[in-house]
Amino acid sequence: MNGFSGKCFGLQRRENGFGMKTYSKVGACLIVFSVVLIFIFQDTALDSITRFATTSFSDTGSEDSCLSRNQSVLYRKSSPHKPSSYLVSKLRSYEELHKRCGPHTDSYKRSMKQLKSGQIDHNSTDCRYVIWVADCGLGNRMLSITSAFLYALLTNRVLLIDQEYEMVGLFCEPFPATSWILPDDFPFKKKLRGFNQKYSYSYGNLLKNNTINYSTQLLPSYLYLYLCHDGDHDDQLFFCDQDQALLNKVPWLIMKSNVYFLPSMFLMSSFDQELDKLFPDKETVFHHLGRYLFHPSDRVWELITKYYHDHLAKAEKRIGIQIRIFDAKTSPFESVMEQILACTKKEKLLPEVGTGKSVASPSKNQTSKVVLVTSLSRDYFEKLNKMYGEHPMKTGEVVAVYQPSHEREQQTWENSHNVQAWVEIYLLSLSDELVTSAWSTFGYVAQGLRGMRPLILYKIDRTIPDPPCGRGVSMEPCYHAPPIFDCKAQSTTVDIGGLVPHVRHCEDISWGLKLVNST
């Protein structure tokens, strides 16, 4: 996979442009208005899936309110993508399961006893779990959490998140009257982050060493799954039906992942019928599940709404441009800037600049466009801001350019930077038009939450691609590192991007996989 920079890829972290202050300018009238609107927009995908009463989670250490859950309808356009009634029903059933089996319940305590003893009592095991362990940046995390959640839905497991410091306070609790946060008293919780591919209880290593096989009767009470981008053949046997039959007998699965491995589940015959009922529209999987799971916490929501009202609210059209550079040598600033301008001109997103040096005062009939730039670098913002700030547009339109923050390098393990990243992902998802960078999970999350096929800036390799950008064939994220073998054929020569009509190779990564609508 030439071109990836470092162990992880696809997310930008930025210097906090808000100063991390708490704002309280969202008035009481806005809150009341949002309650009224929640009934007006109840047929949208967002509301039909996520609407339930705000619940206090004080016992779990989570925030006791979630303003964004109801107020998001004031900022997002209604989604044209409707969830299946089966998906809504499945989510309601899952909420009941999580409430019954979640942290500190009697069922959870019984399961904990089995975990500690190492003995599986199949007669009394009424709850099973998958624990998600973090790796890489926020975009990668949100995609892998969504994948883990779909796996939990398909296998009737309860999803618990190993929340480290850098993720504290980012999201509201997604499930009512319970928590998805792994309790601090979980055995070997402090060791989970250190679990890696070489861990002795990794499923791949147990298979490799023949410690476990498909006929093993006495199974351990837990297994560790390594599903990161550099997993090997044995790790990726997780995606085979025969292996799922074995894993189904293990009550506790600990999963470490940094990729959107979800598309590979659509290649498994054991999940095929259920997935068809859940998602008849294949390119809306992350759109529905992402909107269901990820609601900004109150502190993040205040930052989002403050920036939106200060800079974006009055525009007639909002254009998000997300720029992620993986290799500055092969993608120099001048070439990327030229590519961005060529793309926006080709797609007629932004007006051409006139030759005059003075900008006329805007009149009432002029169109207002706002460009929101997100990037580690400030150079792209400064170039666009100077271009549209110092010259009149040929069309007479008024264009304003903003960038919430910038920093030179990614800082994955800092809580403040994850807050900032989540703010900017959400702001991008409010765009009317979205331009994203190839390979970027940051952009994937924004486009999925928005429910839009983005314009993708194709990766530059010293020369500007022709065309410079293209419309995505799907709004689904790309699985960057899928298995290269077919479980049924036990062969690596099969093109896994051609096994089923709704799983294809990605536009931005030729070996990646993404979901598409076969029609």
Side-chain angles (χ1 to χ4, degrees), residues 327-347:
D327 188 343
K329 293 181 179 178
T330 58
S331 303
F333 166 74
E334 294 81 6
S335 297
V336 176
M337 192 70 242
E338 184 178 341
Q339 180 188 23
I340 293 169
L341 294 176
C343 177
T344 56
K345 179 180 179 180
K346 170 180 173 288
E347 300 296 332

Side-chain angles (χ1 to χ4, degrees), residues 285-305:
V285 179
F286 181 78
H287 177 65
H288 291 318
L289 295 184
R291 284 193 171 199
Y292 173 78
L293 290 172
F294 303 116
H295 299 276
S297 66
D298 284 358
R299 69 158 174 159
V300 176
W301 187 242
E302 286 181 301
L303 298 173
I304 291 169
T305 54

Side-chain angles (χ1 to χ4, degrees), residues 78-89:
S78 298
S79 174
H81 310 289
K82 309 304 179 186
S84 68
S85 59
Y86 188 76
L87 173 59
V88 176
S89 174

Side-chain angles (χ1 to χ4, degrees), residues 104-152:
H104 311 301
T105 61
D106 290 340
S107 296
Y108 177 83
K109 293 174 183 177
R110 286 194 297 270
S111 297
M112 284 291 293
K113 288 181 181 179
Q114 293 191 46
L115 175 65
K116 293 176 180 178
S117 69
Q119 302 295 321
I120 303 176
D121 182 356
H122 293 288
N123 294 322
S124 65
T125 302
D126 56 347
C127 298
R128 297 179 305 145
Y129 301 85
V130 55
I131 298 173
W132 175 87
V133 180
D135 194 22
C136 293
L138 185 62
N140 298 69
R141 294 182 187 204
M142 294 175 73
L143 295 179
S144 62
I145 287 174
T146 305
S147 301
F149 179 62
L150 180 58
Y151 180 69

Side-chain angles (χ1 to χ4, degrees), residues 222 227 253 357 390 433 496:
Y222 81 94
L227 301 181
L253 297 178
K357 295 184 178 181
E390 295 184 357
E433 187 62 85
I496 57 173

Side-chain angles (χ1 to χ4, degrees), residues 303 369 403-404 410 455 460:
L303 298 173
K369 290 184 177 179
Q403 181 174 356
Q410 182 173 324
L455 286 166
I460 291 179

